[in-house]
Amino acid sequence: MTADNKLDWTPSSTAKTRHGINPATEEALPEVPVATQEDVDKAVAAARRAFPAWGKTSWDERENLLNKLADAVEANADGFKDILVKETGKAISTVEMEFASTPRFMRALASLRVKDQVLVDDDEHTATLRHMPLGVGAAIVPWNWPLLLATAKLASGLITGNCVIVKPSPFTPYSNLKLVELAAGIFPPGVVQALSGGDDLGPMLTEHDGIDKVSFTGSSFTGKKVMASCARTLKRVTLELGGNDVAIVCDDADLAKTVPVVGTMCFLGSGQICMDVKRVYVHESIYDKFKAALIEFSKHIKMGDPNDAGTTVGPIQNEMQYGKVREMYEAIKAEGWSAIVGGQTDARDQFPKGFFMQPTIIDNPPENSRIVQEEPFGPIVPLLKWSNEEDVLKRANASKMGLGGSVWTKDLERGQRLASQLESGSSWVNCHFKLDPRVPFGGAKWSGLGRELGTTGLEGWLEPQSLWVSKL
Ligand code: NAD
């Protein structure tokens, strides 16, 4: 820690280095290592050396070390928050959310247990379902919630007795490197490592013969490549991918409660959260009322300096994503969509530096338009009309994506009936983006494979073994 309570940036020790860009200022951030194939081989070899002893430690021992790591993360709170604001560009209020969840998720995951089960016990045999750690896992992390997503993977891999190599996004390596630096001082050598680098580093890990499991979070496009690459060595794979989440607002919804939450979930993290609301279906009988309330709500969204406590929306995280989001904004004019909030193709007049895009709401575009069918991953969302339940469910489920979806109604029975028909890994009634380390999380269809969190998530880091014993 430096005197002003900011975390030091780790100096590099590789021949080549690279750096992130602060998306709010476009300033270069400090250099970080660029790992080569040789570095990957060395890290995998170190993990393989560590695994035989680490895999035999008790769950309690591993929980104890994870709790120490959670303490160390908490002790470095200011430094981590500073890093997260600089590397992601997220508003400090959103960074506070991510940071607060980090030690909490770590401790909660560490407290879970996957227990052996005796499935047969008769006069002749016992059959016990046991669970063995897989070995060495790679945790591949995206740029939007780097600290919490790396933590969920790291804690799940470690508590189950695996060694873990964290690979941050090239856009946001800093918080992940710091997390692993703290962990390396707590866990035995080789158990926790990090490798940072460019776009070629992920494939070096997914291809590697010495890696047994890949836990990947990122786009569906890359997720398919990861799965194909892992097939060669039959690695275990967990994929947490993109989403196109719906919010279905019923005619009896409590608008005073619904509008602020749905409005927040459209724009939280500038629309760059996999579980942000990306399509809002509103019953036609309350459409105009809902629309007016959402326009009013959006007046309170403040875009600007992420360090400012009053800011709710920061910039797009990187220039490449900024380009993609701008394309979607350009389609507003080209396609003749009606923007009832925002709509400008950029915010350069207000913010000459930084990748800022105005929060934007499109009024009832055609169902087959890009803004309805694609995940923009920016602060732009369509408001759509529905009139009957069967039709709205069909439209909600017409997507290849199936991450999450919510239903908003005062009638909880109706809410559950509709929410349970959504083809998504998470379904919510009168809430959205509810996450808990005890509850499995993941996507249906092209939104993912397998689950993270909860004991179901831990099982993804374990090989089941049926142990038969004959009593004869
Ligand atoms: P991305 O797929 O471009 O990159 C994700 C990670 O994969 C990065 O670390 C990247 O370096 C690495 N990578 C890139 N090519 C690779 C390859 N061929 N093999 C192995 N690794 C490779 O995703 P992104 O742009 O960083 O993140 C945005 C996407 O992530 C969005 O689609 C979003 O919805 C999704 N996401 C999903 C969840 C979830 O839990 N379901 C959470 C956050 C983000």
Side-chain angles (χ1 to χ4, degrees):
M1 300 284 282
T2 55
D4 61 353
N5 208 28
K6 302 273 195 281
L7 286 175
D8 284 327
W9 304 95
T10 312
S12 75
S13 58
T14 48
K16 267 194 179 172
T17 59
R18 68 189 312 284
H19 60 78
I21 302 273
N22 180 333
T25 61
E26 296 182 49
E27 281 162 7
L29 294 171
E31 295 296 310
V32 289
V34 173
T36 59
Q37 183 68 53
E38 199 189 335
D39 296 318
V40 173
D41 292 343
K42 275 191 199 158
V44 173
R48 295 234 72 91
R49 278 196 301 277
F51 175 63
W54 176 247
K56 289 191 184 69
T57 51
S58 70
W59 288 75
D60 287 353
E61 220 172 306
R62 301 191 294 252
E63 178 181 8
N64 190 22
L65 294 182
L66 277 164
N67 285 339
K68 281 192 183 152
L69 179 57
D71 293 345
V73 168
E74 258 166 1
N76 288 287
D78 290 346
F80 270 113
K81 288 180 207 170
D82 181 54
I83 288 177
L84 284 170
V85 170
K86 286 195 175 113
E87 70 177 351
T88 67
K90 281 201 302 244
I92 181 68
S93 51
T94 315
V95 161
E96 297 275 3
M97 279 173 67
E98 176 172 2
F99 183 78
S101 301
T102 298
R104 185 168 67 81
F105 272 51
M106 202 178 288
R107 292 193 181 101
L109 286 165
S111 74
L112 298 176
R113 296 290 179 268
V114 178
K115 297 205 168 110
D116 292 353
Q117 277 175 277
V118 179
L119 301 176
V120 174
D121 187 3
D122 58 26
D123 291 345
E124 293 181 355
H125 297 99
T126 58
T128 308
L129 178 62
R130 302 180 61 246
H131 300 89
M132 307 180 292
L134 294 170
V136 177
I140 302 184
V141 184
W143 44 257
N144 60 348
W145 284 56
L147 183 61
L148 184 60
L149 294 172
T151 294
K153 294 176 190 305
L154 192 63
S156 304
L158 292 175
I159 189 61
T160 46
N162 297 280
C163 297
V164 182
I165 299 171
V166 176
K167 193 211 84 64
S169 163
F171 295 112
T172 53
Y174 304 98
S175 57
N176 280 193
L177 290 175
K178 210 68 218 179
L179 175 70
V180 172
E181 188 180 292
L182 294 175
I186 293 170
F187 289 82
V191 170
V192 188
Q193 300 174 84
L195 289 168
S196 82
D199 289 337
D200 56 346
L201 182 56
M204 290 184 210
L205 294 165
T206 56
E207 283 291 313
H208 208 289
D209 283 343
I211 292 182
D212 306 289
K213 150 100 185 178
V214 170
S215 171
F216 170 86
T217 301
S219 61
S220 303
F221 177 77
T222 312
K224 289 179 198 170
K225 288 202 214 168
V226 167
M227 195 165 164
S229 165
C230 288
R232 199 186 61 80
T233 48
L234 275 182
K235 286 182 182 45
R236 278 34 181 175
V237 191
T238 306
L239 302 174
E240 299 287 352
L241 308 177
N244 198 0
D245 282 18
V246 288
I248 298 176
V249 184
C250 297
D251 42 349
D252 64 345
D254 181 335
L255 290 199
K257 289 184 182 155
T258 303
V259 171
V261 187
V262 171
T264 300
M265 282 317 308
C266 290
F267 300 119
L268 192 70
S270 294
Q272 301 172 106
I273 301 179
C274 52
M275 278 172 295
D276 270 331
V277 170
K278 309 222 167 87
R279 297 176 283 162
V280 189
Y281 289 97
V282 182
H283 193 273
E284 61 179 2
S285 65
I286 56 158
Y287 188 87
D288 289 340
K289 225 164 128 187
F290 185 94
K291 180 164 86 175
L294 192 60
I295 292 172
E296 193 51 38
F297 171 81
S298 61
K299 290 181 186 155
H300 304 291
I301 296 172
K302 190 173 167 269
M303 185 168 73
D305 179 356
N307 284 300
D308 184 342
T311 297
T312 44
V313 171
I316 300 298
Q317 197 279 328
N318 61 70
E319 197 167 7
M320 193 177 71
Q321 185 62 26
Y322 179 58
K324 285 190 198 164
V325 175
R326 280 177 61 109
E327 256 181 54
M328 189 62 94
Y329 279 65
E330 277 156 16
I332 297 173
K333 204 166 164 207
E335 301 288 330
W337 301 334
S338 158
I340 45 174
V341 169
Q344 302 89 321
T345 10
D346 65 39
R348 285 282 176 218
D349 51 345
Q350 205 186 340
F351 301 97
K353 283 278 173 201
F355 310 129
F356 290 90
M357 294 298 285
Q358 287 289 353
T360 291
I361 300 169
I362 307 293
D363 189 13
N364 208 24
E367 192 69 15
N368 64 359
S369 54
R370 282 182 57 202
I371 187 61
V372 182
Q373 298 301 323
E374 294 175 21
E375 179 190 39
F377 229 50
I380 175 165
V381 67
L383 199 58
L384 300 140
K385 272 185 202 170
W386 67 276
S387 56
N388 82 67
E389 289 181 357
E390 201 184 326
D391 175 59
V392 75
L393 285 171
K394 201 168 150 199
R395 288 157 71 192
N397 289 333
S399 172
K400 289 273 188 215
M401 299 300 178
L403 193 59
S406 55
V407 177
W408 301 80
T409 168
K410 283 189 196 131
D411 179 346
L412 298 188
E413 216 171 288
R414 180 189 191 192
Q416 287 182 67
R417 180 171 51 74
L418 294 175
S420 60
Q421 292 178 74
L422 291 174
E423 294 166 2
S424 55
S426 296
S427 283
W428 300 280
V429 177
N430 294 330
C431 54
H432 199 105
F433 188 35
K434 280 284 162 214
L435 266 188
D436 186 293
R438 295 165 298 183
V439 181
F441 165 77
K445 304 194 273 188
W446 286 14
S447 287
L449 190 81
R451 293 291 178 268
E452 286 197 331
L453 308 182
T455 49
T456 310
L458 298 195
E459 282 167 13
W461 285 88
L462 294 162
E463 188 67 49
Q465 181 189 54
S466 302
L467 177 65
W468 284 90
V469 177
S470 169
K471 296 179 181 172
L472 298 179

